[in-house]
Amino acid sequence: MNFNNETVVLVNNSTKSSTLDTPKYIMHYKTFLSFTLLIILSQLLVAQTASVKDSTNLPVIEYGNSTPKYEIAGITVSGAGNYEDFVLIGFSGLTVGDVVNVPGDAITNAVKRFWKQGLFSDVKIIATKIKDGKVWLNIALKERPRVSEVNYNGLKKSEIEDLEVKIGIVKGNQITPNISDRAKKIIDKYLEEKGFLNVQVNVYQRNDPKKAGYVIVDINVDKKLKTKIHQLIYTGNSALTHNQINRAMKKTNDNNWRNFFRTKKFVREEYEKDKIALIDKYNEIGYRDAYIAADSVVPFDNKTVNVYLTVNEGKKYYYRNIKWMGNTIYPYDYLNAVLGVKKGDVYNHKNLMARLQSDDDAVSKLYQNRGYLFFNVDPVEVQVTNDSIDFEMRIYEGKPATINEIGIKGNSRVYEHVVRRELRTKPGQLYSQEDIMRSLRELAQMGHFDPEKIKPDILPDPENGTVDINYELETKGSDQVEFSAGWGSTGVVGSIGLKFSNFAIQNLFRPNTYRIVPQGEGQTLTINGKTNGQSYSQVSLSFLEPWLGGKRPNSLSSSIYYSTQSDVSSRYASNYSNYINSMAGNYGYGSNSSSYSSLYQSEIDPNKYMRTIGASLGYGKRLNWPDDYFTFYGELSYQLFMLSDWLYLPPLTDGHYNNFSVNLTLSRSSIDNPIYTRSGSAFSLGLKITPPYSSLNGGKVNGKSYSDETMPNSDRYRWIEYHKWTFNGKTFTPLSSDNKLVLMSRAIFSYLGDYNKNARSPFETFYMGGDGMANNTSYGTDYVAMRGYTSGALTPTDPKTLSPVGYLYDKFTMELRYPLSLEQSATIYALTFVEAGNCFNKIQNYNPFDLKRTAGVGVRIFLPMFGMMGIDWGYGFDKINGTVSGGQFHFVLGQEL
C-alpha cells in the first residue's frame, strides 16, 4: 500500500505477491534485537501516517486473503489524448455499475488487454476514491510515440518502394517494439531472397524536436556483400551427372558457363526447395529410396560459398504387377491402357501421379468427365521384392455428382444470359471436368473478361451428391478505338475506327442501355473510315450477331463498304520523274518534298479513279461432327468495281466490273486464349467461288469469243469469274512447365484459279511482301505480309501485263513467344521468328522448295482500347532482283503477320 500519495495504485504493469518471507540469518542476538526494534518503529510511523490520511478520506486498499468488493461508480481516462475516452473504457471491459474485487481479476484483465494491444508504454488503473461501498477508478495510460518521419539508409529506391508496404511503419501511426522487430525480419528475408545473407538491420527512434509525442525512425541497413555460389560439390551420385543435378536444382547454381543465364545467388529458402526437387528427380528415374545424407554450406570467401551435398541414391526400381481394386465403371485392362505403365518400366513416381491425377487424359479425368467428382485413387505399394514393386490401385468411385447451382461472379458488362449461353455446364447435369474446361475457353473467347483471371470455384457437397460451380470473372473493356495518321507521297492519311463488341441492336429504343451505343447483348458493331482528303477515302460498316435467335451458337454477319481512289493528272505524272532526278542530283533528297506533296493534292484528276462498293451477308454454324470445335461459315458477297482511266489494274482501265461470289469456310479452333495463346490449334479451309460465266454464256459475249483478242475488257471481265482456295493452319505448343514459353507454327497456302484462261481474273490476286498493309488498301487485291522484305517484293511480274500480280502463294512460319506482361491493362509479349514463303504467277510455276527466307524479332502489345499493335524487325536472306533485302522494320496494327 502507498499512503504517501493521494492515490492508491491497484495494478501497475504486473501483479506481484504481497507475502513476506522471513529471511533466515545467523546473527548475534543484539543485532537481531536492534533490527526488531527498527521494524517496530517503522510500523508506528506508518500507522501515524495512515491516521493522517484517514482524516482526509483517502482510500485504503487491504491486500489480504480476502479482498473487498466495490461497485464501480465512475471511470476516467488520463494520458491518452489521441483516443476517445469511451472507446478506451469500453475496451477495458470495466463498466460503471459493475461490482468487482479491489484488487481483483477484473482490473488485472483490463490492464492485460491494454498491454496486449501494444499501443501504450505504461498502464495503471488507480482507485482515486472509495466511499460507501463504491470505488472511482482512473485508467492512467502513457501512449507509445507516433512516427513523424521514416528514413531508410543503405537501400535502393526500388527496394524501399517494395518494403514500405510490407514492414508497416507508417507516418502518423504508432510504433511498437513488435513492429520494429517485424520490420527487421521482413527486411532480412527480403534481402536474403536477393542473395544478401549477412545483412545487419537496426531500427532507431529519436524524439522529433518539432512535434511532441512523435519520433523519427531511422532504418539502417548494412547489406554487406551479395552471397553467390562459388561451387556445388556432389558426392555419392552416379545415376545423375553434375549437369543433370544442376538442371534439377533450378535456383541453386554454381559459377558454370552452362548457368550463364541462371541465377547464381544463394538463397536458403530456394536451396531447401531445390534439395526436394533433386530427390524428386531421382524418383523420376527409379531411385525411390534416394535421400540427401549430408549437406553443408561453407564460406569460400567474403562473397561466395561452396555447397556440399552427399547423396545416397539407393537402388533403381521397376514396376512389376499393377492390380486395380474397387473399379466398376471401367475394366482393368482399359485402366491399364490409360495409365500407360507397363511391367518392367522404370519406377517414376511423378509420372505415376500425373497419369492418375493431373494429366488431361488421366484416370481421374475419365471418372470426373462422367460425373464422378468424388472419385479417388490411392496407389499402394503392396510388395517390394529386390528391385521390383507391386502396386494396388485402390479406387473409390463414389456416386455421380449432379450440378446444383451455377453462379457467375464479377460480370458487370454483358447481360447474364449472354454469359450463361456460353457455358457447357447446366444445373441438373452430371458433373464433368471437361465441360468446365470448355466453359472456361468459351468465356475467354468472348473477349469481355480477362482470360488470365477466369477461374471456377467448385463447391462439392458429398452428403447430397451435388456440386455448386461459381465462375469468377473480371470484366475488361473490349471496345476498341483506332486512330492513326501517316505521311506519304499523297499527303496526310488519317483513319479512325470504332469497334463496339457488346452492342445490342434490341436496345436501340432503350436509352437507359446506351453507353455511346446500346450495349449488353454481346453483338459486334464496327465502323471504320480512312481518308487523305481528296485522292483516297474509304468507309465501312459491319455487324455480327454471334447467337442468332439467342438459343443456338449460329452467327449472322453483314457488312457494307465503299472506297474511292483518284489518280493525278498526266502532267504531274510526267513531271514527277524529272523532280526525283533533280532532287537526287542537285538539292539533296527531301528539301522540297512537302511542297511536291501539296502539289500532288492540287493535281488530283477527278476523272481518273477506281471506286468500289460492296456488301456481304454471312451465316455461321457450330458443328457437332467430327467434334464441336468445328464451324461452318457461308457468305454471299457482291462487289462493284468502277474504273475510269485507271492505270494500276492492267489490263483494265475503264468500265464497270461485277464480283458476285459465295464464300464457304470449314474451320476448327481449339485455342485456349485469343490474345496470348498457349495451347490448341486453329485450321481453316476456304473456297471463294463465282459462277463460271464463260461457260454459262456459251463462251461468247456480244458475239465474240473469249479467245478473240478484240473482245473489249469491259465485256470480258464484266462478270468476274474465279475459284479461290485457301488453307490456313496454326498450332500452339507450350515449351515450359508454366506454359509461358510458346512455339507457334503456321502454314498458309492460297490459290486463285480460273475456269477459262482467257478470262483470268485481275481481281482477288496476291501482293506479297512487307507488313501486309497498303497505304491505300484496294478491295481487289489481297496484301500478304512477308517480314524482312519490302512491300510487294515477292510478287512476280505477269508476262502479259508486265505488272506485279500473284495467283498463288505459300508461307511457313515458326514463332517463339514469351509474355512480358499478362495484365488486363496491357498484354505484352516478345517473339522471335523464322519464316519462308513465295508468290507465283501460275500454278505451273509453283515450286514448294523455292522459298524466300527471313528471320527476326518483334514485340506485341495488346491494349483493350486499341487492339493488337507491334513492331518487327526481319532480315531477308534471299536476293530479290539481284539484291539482298537485308533488315526491314514492320509495324503491326491489328493484322497478323
Side-chain angles (χ1 to χ4, degrees):
M1 293 184 295
N2 182 1
F3 296 101
N4 296 316
N5 299 305
E6 296 183 352
T7 59
V8 177
V9 179
L10 301 181
V11 180
N12 182 3
N13 299 346
S14 61
T15 305
K16 298 181 180 180
S17 174
S18 60
T19 59
L20 180 63
D21 295 329
T22 305
K24 296 180 180 180
Y25 295 107
I26 300 175
M27 60 180 68
H28 193 272
Y29 173 77
K30 290 183 178 181
T31 303
F32 174 77
L33 181 61
S34 300
F35 183 76
T36 302
L37 291 174
L38 182 61
I39 292 175
I40 294 173
L41 180 59
S42 65
Q43 291 296 322
L44 290 173
L45 292 173
V46 170
Q48 184 179 2
T49 305
S51 177
V52 174
K53 294 299 178 183
D54 286 342
S55 65
T56 59
N57 298 321
L58 291 175
V60 177
I61 305 301
E62 298 291 342
Y63 290 86
N65 292 330
S66 62
T67 57
K69 293 186 176 182
Y70 296 97
E71 179 185 346
I72 299 177
I75 304 175
T76 58
V77 179
S78 61
N82 289 309
Y83 299 93
E84 296 288 348
D85 288 358
F86 73 89
V87 174
L88 295 173
I89 293 171
F91 182 76
S92 71
L94 301 173
T95 307
V96 173
D98 287 351
V99 176
V100 298
N101 292 92
V102 180
D105 291 341
I107 294 175
T108 300
N109 291 336
V111 172
K112 289 180 178 179
R113 288 191 190 97
F114 285 108
W115 277 118
K116 188 176 181 180
Q117 195 70 11
L119 300 176
F120 306 98
S121 60
D122 193 18
V123 181
K124 299 177 183 177
I125 297 182
I126 302 170
T128 59
K129 181 180 179 181
I130 297 178
K131 184 178 181 181
D132 299 331
K134 297 183 178 181
V135 63
W136 284 258
L137 302 178
N138 174 255
I139 302 174
L141 305 171
K142 184 178 180 181
E143 291 186 60
R144 293 194 184 277
R146 293 180 179 272
V147 179
S148 63
E149 186 178 343
V150 183
N151 298 319
Y152 294 88
N153 301 309
L155 293 174
K156 297 178 181 178
K157 182 179 179 181
S158 60
E159 294 171 339
I160 294 173
E161 292 174 350
D162 290 342
L163 287 168
E164 277 180 329
V165 179
K166 298 178 180 179
I167 64 176
I169 299 178
V170 182
K171 292 181 181 180
N173 288 0
Q174 289 178 298
I175 184 169
T176 67
N178 286 340
I179 291 176
S180 296
D181 292 341
R182 180 175 174 271
K184 292 179 182 178
K185 292 178 181 178
I186 290 174
I187 295 173
D188 274 336
K189 184 177 180 181
Y190 175 82
L191 292 175
E192 182 181 338
E193 292 175 356
K194 291 181 173 292
F196 297 96
L197 300 186
N198 303 312
V199 178
Q200 289 185 354
V201 182
N202 294 299
V203 180
Y204 297 109
Q205 301 177 32
R206 48 191 172 94
N207 293 329
D208 189 339
K210 298 179 182 179
K211 298 176 71 175
Y214 282 77
V215 294
I216 298 172
V217 178
D218 295 316
I219 301 177
N220 297 332
V221 179
D222 184 0
K223 293 191 283 190
K224 307 295 184 183
L225 293 173
K226 182 177 288 189
T227 305
K228 294 187 177 182
I229 299 173
H230 173 257
Q231 189 176 5
L232 289 173
I233 302 168
Y234 308 110
T235 55
N237 61 300
S238 59
L240 291 178
T241 65
H242 179 94
N243 292 331
Q244 289 174 320
I245 294 177
N246 234 342
R247 286 194 294 270
M249 302 181 71
K250 298 183 182 300
K251 299 292 185 178
T252 308
N253 306 296
D254 58 8
N255 193 14
N256 187 300
W257 67 269
R258 295 181 180 86
N259 299 322
F260 184 79
F261 294 104
R262 303 174 72 183
T263 179
K264 288 169 278 293
K265 63 186 178 184
F266 180 81
V267 179
R268 176 69 64 177
E269 184 177 356
E270 297 296 338
Y271 172 56
E272 296 299 327
K273 293 179 181 178
D274 280 343
K275 289 195 292 184
I276 297 174
L278 176 59
I279 298 304
D280 290 341
K281 183 63 179 177
Y282 269 107
N283 290 340
E284 289 180 27
I285 59 174
Y287 292 86
R288 65 185 282 276
D289 298 333
Y291 66 94
I292 295 175
D295 71 294
S296 60
V297 180
V298 180
F300 178 76
D301 53 31
N302 59 355
K303 59 180 180 180
T304 63
V305 295
N306 284 337
V307 178
Y308 295 86
L309 280 173
T310 300
V311 180
N312 190 326
E313 295 180 336
K315 66 173 70 171
K316 190 173 185 177
Y317 288 86
Y318 301 85
Y319 294 108
R320 189 168 60 179
N321 299 315
I322 296 178
K323 185 178 181 181
W324 298 87
M325 305 288 291
N327 55 305
T328 62
I329 307 301
Y330 296 102
Y332 74 90
D333 53 346
Y334 180 72
L335 292 176
N336 278 333
V338 173
L339 183 65
V341 175
K342 299 178 181 178
K343 185 175 183 179
D345 287 351
V346 174
Y347 171 83
N348 185 335
H349 180 263
K350 180 180 178 180
N351 179 68
L352 178 66
M353 298 310 298
R355 296 305 306 146
L356 288 174
Q357 302 286 353
S358 59
D359 284 352
D360 291 338
D361 57 345
V363 172
S364 63
K365 301 297 174 63
L366 287 177
Y367 281 88
Q368 290 175 0
N369 289 335
R370 291 188 60 176
Y372 291 87
L373 174 61
F374 311 113
F375 167 86
N376 183 50
V377 55
D378 184 19
V380 179
E381 297 180 5
V382 293
Q383 186 174 354
V384 180
T385 304
N386 296 324
D387 62 352
S388 299
I389 306 175
D390 292 342
F391 274 93
E392 272 188 7
M393 303 299 177
R394 297 176 182 177
I395 290 177
Y396 170 74
E397 293 178 337
K399 295 181 179 180
T402 303
I403 298 175
N404 181 36
E405 292 184 356
I406 302 291
I408 297 172
K409 299 180 179 180
N411 170 39
S412 60
R413 180 164 175 79
V414 299
Y415 293 141
E416 185 161 312
H417 75 269
V418 176
V419 179
R420 288 189 178 275
R421 70 191 184 189
E422 299 290 346
L423 302 179
R424 298 301 179 94
T425 53
K426 309 291 182 183
Q429 289 181 348
L430 288 179
Y431 173 87
S432 170
Q433 182 73 17
E434 186 177 27
D435 286 345
I436 291 178
M437 300 308 296
R438 184 63 184 273
S439 297
L440 297 180
R441 176 191 177 275
E442 299 302 327
L443 291 172
Q445 297 295 321
M446 291 179 70
H448 301 301
F449 310 105
D450 185 352
E452 302 298 327
K453 302 292 178 62
I454 300 175
K455 60 181 180 180
D457 182 19
I458 301 172
L459 305 172
D461 184 354
E463 292 185 4
N464 296 321
T466 61
V467 58
D468 292 340
I469 304 173
N470 293 318
Y471 291 94
E472 298 181 359
L473 312 174
E474 185 172 314
T475 301
K476 71 170 186 175
S478 55
D479 294 339
Q480 296 178 8
V481 178
E482 176 191 345
F483 178 79
S484 62
W487 181 272
S489 60
T490 60
V492 177
V493 178
S495 65
I496 185 170
L498 300 173
K499 180 181 179 182
F500 303 99
S501 60
N502 190 27
F503 186 69
I505 197 170
Q506 298 93 323
N507 294 334
L508 279 176
F509 303 105
R510 298 177 183 174
N512 60 318
T513 66
Y514 275 61
R515 281 180 286 184
I516 304 179
V517 295
Q519 298 201 11
E521 289 288 348
Q523 301 159 354
T524 301
L525 177 68
T526 305
I527 305 172
N528 284 301
K530 182 184 293 186
T531 183
N532 73 341
Q534 297 183 45
S535 64
Y536 173 72
S537 294
Q538 174 186 314
V539 63
S540 65
L541 174 69
S542 64
F543 171 79
L544 170 66
E545 166 58 82
W547 282 69
L548 184 62
K551 294 183 178 180
R552 298 181 183 277
N554 301 327
S555 65
L556 176 69
S557 60
S558 61
S559 66
I560 56 174
Y561 46 89
Y562 172 78
S563 72
T564 178
Q565 296 172 251
S566 298
D567 199 5
V568 293
S569 65
S570 300
R571 178 180 58 188
Y572 177 90
S574 63
N575 290 336
Y576 185 72
S577 60
N578 296 331
Y579 162 74
I580 293 296
N581 292 333
S582 63
M583 294 299 297
N586 302 321
Y587 300 106
Y589 188 76
S591 60
N592 291 315
S593 59
S594 60
S595 63
Y596 234 84
S597 179
S598 300
L599 179 61
Y600 181 98
Q601 293 295 329
S602 65
E603 290 288 340
I604 296 298
D605 187 345
N607 295 318
K608 295 183 176 183
Y609 60 80
M610 174 181 176
R611 296 170 184 166
T612 306
I613 186 170
S616 66
L617 181 66
Y619 177 80
K621 181 179 178 60
R622 182 183 296 168
L623 305 179
N624 294 320
W625 185 88
D627 61 38
D628 60 1
Y629 287 107
F630 278 86
T631 59
F632 179 79
Y633 178 78
E635 179 184 81
L636 293 177
S637 174
Y638 173 76
Q639 291 174 303
L640 174 62
F641 300 98
M642 297 167 282
L643 278 62
S644 176
D645 199 11
W646 190 252
L647 305 177
Y648 306 102
L649 198 65
L652 307 182
T653 56
D654 296 276
H656 289 189
Y657 305 95
N658 301 277
N659 181 8
F660 176 75
S661 63
V662 177
N663 188 4
L664 306 175
T665 303
L666 179 67
S667 61
R668 185 186 188 276
S669 176
S670 61
I671 61 174
D672 64 332
N673 186 325
I675 300 173
Y676 186 76
T677 307
R678 292 180 172 87
S679 62
S681 61
F683 294 92
S684 66
L685 177 63
L687 170 62
K688 190 174 184 180
I689 188 171
T690 67
Y693 300 107
S694 62
S695 298
L696 296 176
N697 59 20
K700 293 183 179 181
V701 178
N702 294 329
K704 290 189 176 183
S705 171
Y706 281 91
S707 60
D708 189 345
E709 295 183 358
T710 63
M711 175 187 284
N713 287 327
S714 58
D715 289 339
R716 188 186 302 271
Y717 300 108
R718 179 175 300 166
W719 287 96
I720 305 164
E721 63 176 34
Y722 57 86
H723 51 92
K724 189 175 186 178
W725 303 80
T726 302
F727 171 81
N728 192 338
K730 291 187 294 184
T731 63
F732 298 86
T733 307
L735 301 181
S736 60
S737 58
D738 58 3
N739 288 349
K740 287 187 175 181
L741 183 65
V742 176
L743 176 66
M744 188 278 289
S745 304
R746 178 176 60 212
I748 305 175
F749 177 90
S750 190
Y751 168 64
L752 179 65
D754 57 75
Y755 303 110
N756 187 327
K757 65 178 181 179
N758 296 311
R760 196 181 190 196
S761 173
F763 297 95
E764 300 289 337
T765 56
F766 307 115
Y767 191 77
M768 188 174 187
D771 53 22
M773 295 190 298
N775 196 25
N776 299 334
T777 302
S778 168
Y779 281 105
T781 304
D782 288 352
Y783 291 84
V784 182
M786 185 68 180
R787 292 167 286 190
Y789 296 91
T790 57
S791 181
L794 275 64
T795 309
T797 301
D798 187 84
K800 288 186 177 181
T801 64
L802 300 181
S803 61
V805 58
Y807 283 84
L808 182 150
Y809 82 91
D810 58 4
K811 188 169 77 166
F812 307 94
T813 305
M814 295 184 71
E815 279 187 3
L816 196 61
R817 302 175 175 181
Y818 189 82
L820 306 178
S821 170
L822 293 175
E823 298 298 323
Q824 177 179 331
S825 57
T827 297
I828 306 173
Y829 63 88
L831 61 90
T832 181
F833 66 88
V834 291
E835 201 162 60
N838 208 349
C839 189
F840 305 89
N841 184 257
K842 294 181 179 180
I843 195 169
Q844 293 86 346
N845 299 333
Y846 176 64
N847 182 353
F849 303 104
D850 182 11
L851 300 173
K852 307 302 181 184
R853 300 159 300 168
T854 180
V857 295
V859 65
R860 296 290 183 273
I861 302 175
F862 179 85
L863 301 176
M865 280 293 291
F866 300 99
M868 186 68 75
M869 300 179 293
I871 184 172
D872 289 343
W873 178 87
Y875 187 90
F877 296 101
D878 295 291
K879 292 182 179 181
I880 304 296
N881 297 324
T883 305
V884 175
S885 177
Q888 301 284 334
F889 282 98
H890 306 284
F891 293 95
V892 179
L893 290 175
Q895 85 279 14
E896 182 180 51
L897 297 185

